Amino acid sequence: MVGPTTTPGPAAGTPSSRPPSYQLPPNKAIIVTGGASGIGLAVTQLLLSEGASVAVLDRDEAALGRLAATQTPGRVHTQSVNVADPKAVESAVDRAAKELGPLWGLVTCAGIVRDKTLLKMSDEDWRAVVDVNLSGTFYALRSAAHRLKDQKEGRIVAIASIVGLRGGFGQANYAASKAGVIGLVETAARELGRFGITVNAIAPGFVRTPMTAAYGETLEEACKAESPMGTVCEPSDIARTVRYLLAPEASHITGVVLRVDGGQAIGA
Ligand SMILES: NC(=O)c1ccc[n+]([C@@H]2O[C@H](COP(=O)([O-])OP(=O)(O)OC[C@H]3O[C@@H](n4cnc5c(N)ncnc54)[C@H](O)[C@@H]3O)[C@@H](O)[C@H]2O)c1
């Protein structure tokens, strides 16, 4: 097990060239699950580049080590955690808050796929994906909400998928987990609004990451053909949208499922 590490850098909230309403609150931290790869890594890097303090919870110890070793400006705290373990998530969120100070937000990016048509899908394939993608999101959201509620403000952004809106061939486990994330987000938005906490989901289409690299080029080409723009997304496209939903100026956006997919879900 790699223990928690904190890499010091410039103080959190270092002023950037952004207008004041778009600045993240200084001296508050953001937790990113699955922040060691793909979309989560892009989110982490963008937030760090703006001087935010970021706690990255991920199970990939090697990738966490590489991240902690970078000279990225800002402050990054890394912890090796399996998000499917509720107790581990609870203590990781506690530790992150102790290391970095009060929380401003949570971004849940940890996710896996185990594709098979449903006639061939084992109980284990089903459970593994639902445990990480849906239960893992719930555990992190609940832990963060306990802390944000006392502060009477905060932001939660969960990465769902367009597959959670329209299903996906060979992805019963994944589609159900992402549809569950959407239901969780809409419920959390209702329950947490009174505490000044916004809760939103982003539903990406195909994004070029290590997860999708495993599918090869055929899927990417098929997804481009579905998009009115003829393109697929990069992790930075999703990161910029996460960043917007974390901003103070997004204070009245809650319970939204925002597709960031180049129109893939509506079709070309
Ligand atoms: N890439 C896409 O096309 C796409 C599209 C829609 C939604 N998404 C979603 O975006 C999120 C990020 O996906 P990505 O494409 O960046 O994948 P990725 O594989 O590059 O990154 C996923 C990260 O989650 C971590 N992770 C996995 N299981 C974990 C666990 N049990 N505990 C802690 N960390 C764990 C991995 O170690 C990895 O760092 C996922 O939720 C995925 O379902 C991806």
Side-chain angles (χ1 to χ4, degrees), residues 37 39 58-59 81-83 109 159-160 174 178 205 207 209 212:
S37 173
I39 292 169
D58 200 293
R59 69 172 178 193
V81 182
N82 175 7
V83 295
C109 306
I159 305 299
Y174 186 78
K178 294 300 187 180
V207 185
T209 69
T212 47

Side-chain angles (χ1 to χ4, degrees), residues 56-90:
V56 178
L57 313 186
D58 200 293
R59 69 172 178 193
D60 184 339
E61 295 180 2
L64 285 174
R66 285 193 296 276
L67 175 64
T70 59
Q71 299 302 307
T72 317
R75 293 202 312 143
V76 63
H77 166 81
T78 60
Q79 281 189 66
S80 169
V81 182
N82 175 7
V83 295
D85 176 344
K87 288 207 170 73
V89 172
E90 182 68 30

Side-chain angles (χ1 to χ4, degrees), residues 236-254:
S236 57
D237 295 312
I238 312 302
R240 282 193 299 273
T241 312
V242 169
R243 170 66 182 79
Y244 172 69
L245 291 171
L246 290 172
E249 68 179 14
S251 61
H252 279 84
I253 301 176
T254 196

